[in-house]
Amino acid sequence: MFDGPTLWRTILDELALLLDKPTVATWFSQTKFVSLQNEHLTISAPNHYSQEFIHKRYLKLLQKLITQHLGPDGQLTIKVEPPASGSIKGPLFDHLPTQDLTDSRPKREDFVQPKPVPPADLRPNTHYTLDNFVVGNSNRVAHAAAMSVIENPGTSYNPLFVYGGTGVGKTHLLHAIGNELLQRDASKQVFYFTTEKLLNDFVESIQLKKGMSEFRARYRTCNAILVDDLQFMAKKEALQEEFYHTYNELFTNGKQIVLAADRLPKDIANLTERLISRFMGGLLVDMNQPDFETRLAILKAKSQALGFDLTTEELTLLAETLDQNVREIEGFLLKIKSAATAQDLPVTLGLIKDLLSDKEVTRRSKKLTPELILSAVTETYDTTIADLCGRKRRREVVLPRQVAMFLLRNEVGLNLVEIGEILGGRDHSTVIHGIDKISQRLSNHDRYLGGNLRLIRSQLYD
Ligand code: ADP
Ligand code: MG
């Protein structure tokens, strides 16, 4: 049988094996053993925020480990006890104002640390850096704007709003900005989060007693925020309201704000005017699918990073064939690597060609044109191209038109303006509306629509 402190030490060692290092450093390095009575272990966390976080995220795991040591009656309590001065260790905590954490302060249960521990869940992912971001025509402006933000955070472009289709590097760029800001000044709080995460935190805080004040303290006390997938704010009024205040607080205090979305602010459904006008007040830059030269450069960089060198011929073939987005390129390189490893063969042009002839890629490489899409749609829906491009607004025409929009975007990768032009000079907001309608129906499992799309795809690819 362990004594209490040893038991907690052992559990910490076990956690270190089960969780990643930053998690353990952030959430557990400041926990302390408090008491062990019968089968009841009590430990302390340095503040409410970590107490709650550990409770929410790791209680199950902890409980399991405790049961292993103490048997089925094993119990755990986590209480709040601010650390004594000088007890904070490790680089993550170096910049915390230790004078505010002296022993002479009363150890109250509701003690809230003046500055939060850099929260693990808001840190930029160090995997995405500026060094491994390939710059080309499709993202040159966005990259330059990012550099300017890094040089003069809060003063050059605020906010910086990047928008573009999927897989063009928006998320990568946001993380890279965050990492570079931290590189230049590690004492800064730089938060990366998606709108979905913000929403989750928001909803959780509403349910907790002191939730809202902690939520606000959390998101308003940082030096820069990088908010991803902002289109997710569409139609979420309470979240927009809350974000508006966070935004203002940060903005007024000269904190840098970087936002990313798949479309312009004005095209996000039901985004309030005041948020739109704030976002429009900064710099808006679009990011596009990489052109041939950029794809070539990306292929070269990514294949080298994976540990193989491709010849110019191989690179050219790949850059010609994989013409969708960077995610597709990455996926295919991994496929090459795993095929070569599995067969214990070097990467050769023959191997690449074999893989390219796999169904998934042939279908992409078949060079789908807008004409092919339109004729497949008209065939399936028994309508005409003239109707698709015309002004009729009857249901029998509107649905196939929206399907055409959806396919032109997702299968051919055209941008909204191009799609609008092909379909009889429609406004790009009409195109967005059409695409959203189809996506919505698909996510509601509209079987009739799903069946028709399968039919069209089989015409296109088989
Ligand atoms: P988005 O957020 O626009 O959908 P991501 O940033 O997630 O796209 O990019 C998809 C993948 O492609 C990521 O793995 C990212 O690292 C990579 N990627 C995108 N653009 C570039 C680029 N210019 N250089 C290097 N990698 C890129
Ligand atoms: Mg993204």
Side-chain angles (χ1 to χ4, degrees), residues 167 169-172 192 228-229 327:
K170 303 181 296 294
T171 297
H172 188 133
Y192 166 92
D228 208 349
D229 293 325
R327 209 170 271 138

Side-chain angles (χ1 to χ4, degrees), residues 128 132-134 139 165-172 298 302 326-327 330:
Y128 299 116
N132 62 23
F133 185 82
V134 178
N139 57 30
T166 168
V168 295
K170 303 181 296 294
T171 297
H172 188 133
I298 289 176
K302 302 239 170 205
V326 187
R327 209 170 271 138
E330 282 187 328

